[in-house]
């Protein structure tokens, strides 16, 4: 019997992958790379490290409770706690396993920088931030890498307060220890526009946000002086956007009672609302449907450095999985 | 006795505020799947009553997908219909939380802000819209 167990597990995995693919993927050129059960503490929003080793997950609790973020390790599908003074939106610095977490607590704990490199996940709970910026006070932060050398990275963090702000840092590694210093102090970002939920592209040139004047989502080009030029206007508000590493594509989710059927959008069988993933191509101005779930929800897609895409899938039966897709043949 | 005086003064203060309030109604969209929206919910439930602010709560339309969340976060195992079809189509349900001002005449919900903001800022936004709080 034991002899057949691996085969059974393999075929069970295959059935699971096939079922997800058949039900949900819009085009045969999209390949499922892996599926990970979200054990522990699934939340809607997460962000992946560039190499997909880790996913940063919100605490999911109120500020009156514990001060933890969670790190999902895709190699063992386990979730490990990280002690912070902020509960939410742990994001990775592109091409690294360094994280930036904003605090929802009062000063002096604000933008915190953590180093997960060379750390065992069981020890994450003991990690102290290698830098805490007590001057920055905001949330919904996202990070771009402006320049990267072997032991030095210039990063730009944008974050939301009354409006959006940007701040540049120099991170330096010496004897395997990271330190940080402010390179360019805080400045308004896109102060000529009013938007929320802004996310910066990996190299720092673009921001996607929800335009609060026109009530649509838009892509802005961020200029050196902090002003922005709107370059793309959607006709609806998208979920939080994630730029591909070359900034050509933006992935996002949309909730709707309609679903793509291969040629157009039709009502869901139940009439209920579902969440599905889309990719906008900045070069062709086309929006491509990636998933076509008719129940449950796929949310918060995030591009990885190799061009694959990961999202969280809430199945109608209550199970939650992270799914990684290779969409390159479909969207190119 | 001091407690009674405090409660009495607080009531008078609330009555005074209620008389000043131009009956603005705040609609607040939230989801147990989004941490900041839970924090905003705390803010409004704790601070809102002191301003006599009328609040309509709009729940995540995907709520039936929450089987894996802790019991304390479980809601009815059916989809919420608090958002209108138009609001979903416009994309308001793609973010939590959302703050809306309810138009007293049309009952339409006008978006003030998407994403968490402090309760003080919510009050500022309401005042900018002519609400006296």
């Amino acid at each position: 019997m034991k002899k057949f167990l691996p085969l059974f597990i393999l075929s069970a995995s295959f059935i699971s992958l096939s079922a997800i693919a058949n039900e949900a993927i819009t085009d045969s050129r999209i390949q499922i790379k892996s599926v990970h059960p979200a054990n522990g503490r699934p939340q809607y929003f997460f962000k992946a490290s560039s190499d997909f080793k880790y996913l940063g997950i919100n605490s999911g609790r109120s500020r009156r409770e514990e001060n933890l973020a969670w790190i999902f390790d895709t190699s063992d599908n386990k979730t490990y706690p990280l002690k912070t003074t902020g509960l939410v939106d742990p994001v990775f610095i592109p091409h690294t396993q360094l994280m930036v977490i904003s605090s929802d607590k009062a000063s002096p704990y604000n933008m915190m920088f953590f180093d997960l490199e060379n750390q065992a996940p069981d020890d994450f709970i003991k990690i102290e931030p290698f830098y805490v910026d007590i001057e920055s006070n905001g949330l919904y932060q996202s990070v771009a890498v402006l320049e990267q050398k072997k032991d030095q990275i210039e990063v730009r963090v944008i974050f939301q307060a009354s409006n959006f702000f940007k701040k540049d840092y120099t991170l330096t590694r010496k004897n395997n220890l990271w330190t940080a210093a402010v390179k360019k102090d805080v400045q308004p970002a896109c102060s000529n526009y009013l938007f929320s939920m802004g996310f910066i592209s990996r190299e720092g040139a673009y921001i996607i946000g929800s335009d609060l004047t026109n009530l649509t989502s838009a892509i802005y080009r961020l200029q050196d002086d902090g002003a922005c030029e709107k370059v793309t206007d959607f006709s609806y508000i998208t979920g939080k956007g994630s730029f591909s590493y070359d900034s050509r594509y933006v992935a996002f989710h949309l909730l709707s009672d309609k679903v793509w059927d291969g040629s157009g959008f039709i009502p869901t069988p139940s009439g209920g609302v579902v969440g599905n993933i889309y990719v906008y191509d900045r070069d062709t101005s086309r929006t491509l449907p990636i998933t076509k779930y008719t129940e449950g929800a796929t949310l918060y897609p995030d591009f990885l450095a190799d061009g694959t895409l990961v999202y969280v899938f809430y199945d109608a039966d209550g199970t939650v999985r992270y799914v990684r897709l290779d969409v390159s043949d479909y969207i190119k | 006795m001091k407690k009674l005086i405090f409660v009495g003064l607080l009531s008078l203060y609330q009555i005074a505020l209620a008389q000043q309030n131009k009956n603005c109604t705040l609609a607040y969209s939230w989801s147990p799947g989004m941490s900041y929206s839970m924090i905003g919910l705390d803010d409004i439930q704790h601070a809102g009553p002191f301003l006599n602010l009328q609040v309509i709560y709009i729940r995540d339309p995907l709520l039936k997908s929450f089987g894996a969340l802790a019991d304390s976060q479980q809601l009815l195992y059916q989809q919420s219909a608090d958002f209108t079809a138009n609001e979903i189509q416009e994309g308001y349900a793609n973010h939590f939380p959302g703050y809306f001002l309810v138009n007293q005449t049309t009952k339409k919900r006008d978006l003030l802000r998407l994403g968490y903001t402090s309760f003080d800022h919510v009050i500022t936004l309401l005042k900018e819209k002519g609400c006296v709080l």
Side-chain angles (χ1 to χ4, degrees), chain A residues 36-63:
Chain A
H36 304 262
N39 300 312
R41 311 176 64 92
Q43 280 283 299
Y44 274 0
F45 182 74
F46 71 95
K47 280 288 176 189
S49 60
S50 304
D51 59 0
F52 194 54
K53 182 168 175 50
Y54 296 125
L55 309 178
I57 304 168
N58 289 341
S59 163
R61 295 191 174 219
S62 82
R63 66 156 68 97

Side-chain angles (χ1 to χ4, degrees), chain B residues 56-103:
Chain B
I56 293 171
Y57 295 99
I58 312 172
R59 296 167 303 172
D60 178 358
L62 294 173
L63 278 178
K64 81 170 191 175
S65 302
F66 274 91
L69 286 184
D71 289 346
S72 60
Q73 295 176 333
Q74 288 274 11
L75 294 172
L76 295 176
Y77 202 73
Q78 59 184 18
Q79 288 203 326
S80 160
D82 291 348
F83 271 109
T84 66
N86 269 348
E87 287 169 339
I88 289 172
Q89 203 64 27
E90 286 162 357
Y92 296 163
N94 290 317
H95 291 293
F96 297 98
Y99 302 85
F100 305 80
L101 178 62
V102 181
N103 185 306

